[in-house]
Amino acid sequence: MRNQIVAGNWKMNNTTSETEKLLNELEKQTLNKSVKVYVAPAFTQLSQAVRQLEGTPIKVAAQNMNAAASGAHTGEISASMLQGVGVHTVILGHSERRSLYSETNDSLKDKVATALNAEMELIFCFGEELEQRKENNHFEVVRAQLAVLFELPEKAWDQIILAYEPVWAIGTGETASPEQAQEMHAFIRKEIEENYNSSLAEKVVILYGGSVKPSNAQEIFSMKDVDGGLIGGASLKASDFAAIVNAF
Ligand code: PGA
């Protein structure tokens, strides 16, 4: 059986005191032990979160990192810097990174390679925009986004978690229907099967992201090929995030 995962992407939210408060509240919640839980605070809050969550099963992930090992990259953070503060998981390719900070399938290829070489786990995000879905191009768009990963050796997939996030559902309150999510997740598994084999396709964890809330999580997570969620807005409130973790 595949891992069930719920990851909270805090985006550019939570100062030091807010992080402490939210994590304190989260630690008080009863969380389904069979679900792997992650939180992804901003860079400046990572070591604080690692320290505070020590001894708990909740893991800390970063929201981004640079492809280079070190050097003249003002404002950027490397894989070894993340690992130095105890972070071994990184979210790559989030749609806001793609749309606001010009990340492309090509530039992501380098980040993926760096993360894999550094033996980090990565949560690789992708998904189509509204126009692309309206034009019925969503499968082609996702296929092109995934092509970044399909050149990798099969072994690399031990470190990869996928997160399908239709851009039109992120932060909009509009969720993909459970059937739309299932249809895309099944397509993704088929793509993995075609590029590798069926046993790998069965093994890869595929999260859904985009306006997941306590009220819709159960329905979405009940879909056969949906293994959990990448949660934005609802991860900022401990009780909502816990309800989503407990929705399996
Ligand atoms: P949302 O964000 O849950 O607020 O829609 C999801 C994400 O951006 O990962």
Side-chain angles (χ1 to χ4, degrees):
M1 176 155 147
R2 290 185 292 270
N3 281 328
Q4 295 173 320
I5 295 179
V6 174
N9 174 14
W10 289 6
K11 309 192 179 185
M12 198 171 73
N13 294 294
N14 292 328
T15 59
T16 302
S17 57
E18 289 162 346
T19 296
E20 188 180 347
K21 185 163 175 271
L22 177 52
L23 293 180
N24 273 335
E25 283 164 10
L26 199 53
E27 285 176 78
K28 283 189 212 136
Q29 308 288 322
T30 309
L31 300 175
N32 180 342
K33 286 196 175 58
S34 61
V35 180
K36 283 176 79 175
V37 179
Y38 294 72
V39 291
F43 286 136
T44 47
Q45 264 49 65
L46 288 175
S47 55
Q48 175 191 3
V50 168
R51 255 182 283 122
Q52 198 173 333
L53 292 171
E54 211 180 315
T56 78
I58 303 172
K59 290 204 196 183
V60 179
Q63 298 173 16
N64 180 32
M65 57 162 242
N66 196 274
S70 64
H73 295 279
T74 302
E76 292 291 307
I77 301 286
S78 72
S80 60
M81 289 170 181
L82 296 179
Q83 289 177 309
V85 294
V87 173
H88 303 282
T89 304
V90 62
I91 297 173
L92 291 179
H94 189 277
S95 73
E96 286 147 24
R97 299 292 321 164
R98 292 175 190 258
S99 67
L100 304 174
Y101 300 98
S102 313
E103 292 202 356
T104 62
N105 290 338
D106 254 358
S107 64
L108 281 164
K109 223 181 255 184
D110 295 337
K111 290 192 175 192
V112 166
T114 301
L116 292 172
N117 284 336
E119 295 188 356
M120 293 188 69
E121 177 177 58
L122 53 107
I123 301 176
F124 185 83
C125 306
F126 54 93
E128 81 285 357
E129 291 173 20
L130 185 58
E131 276 311 299
Q132 295 166 325
R133 181 165 277 265
K134 279 189 184 154
E135 289 160 6
N136 211 26
N137 272 336
H138 45 299
F139 293 115
E140 279 317 306
V141 169
V142 164
R143 179 181 279 138
Q145 291 170 324
L146 286 174
V148 167
L149 304 176
F150 288 159
E151 292 165 16
L152 298 169
E154 185 175 340
K155 197 168 99 344
W157 286 82
D158 291 347
Q159 292 162 251
I160 298 174
I161 296 162
L162 297 180
Y164 167 61
E165 300 202 301
V167 179
W168 48 272
I170 295 178
T172 57
E174 190 173 340
T175 329
S177 68
E179 293 72 25
Q180 283 172 321
Q182 170 56 28
E183 184 186 33
M184 184 57 88
H185 283 222
F187 170 78
I188 295 162
R189 247 182 248 295
K190 193 97 199 99
E191 285 291 298
I192 300 170
E193 181 177 343
E194 279 166 18
N195 284 274
Y196 296 89
N197 53 63
S198 57
S199 78
L200 181 67
E202 268 311 300
K203 250 185 0 208
V204 174
V205 171
I206 312 175
L207 310 180
Y208 167 81
S211 298
V212 177
K213 307 182 271 278
S215 57
N216 60 23
Q218 190 167 19
E219 226 188 352
I220 295 170
F221 295 169
S222 70
M223 294 289 120
K224 176 174 161 289
D225 289 299
V226 178
D227 305 313
L230 182 56
I231 319 300
S235 71
L236 300 174
K237 197 169 158 206
S239 56
D240 283 358
F241 189 58
I244 293 169
V245 172
N246 295 335
F248 281 98

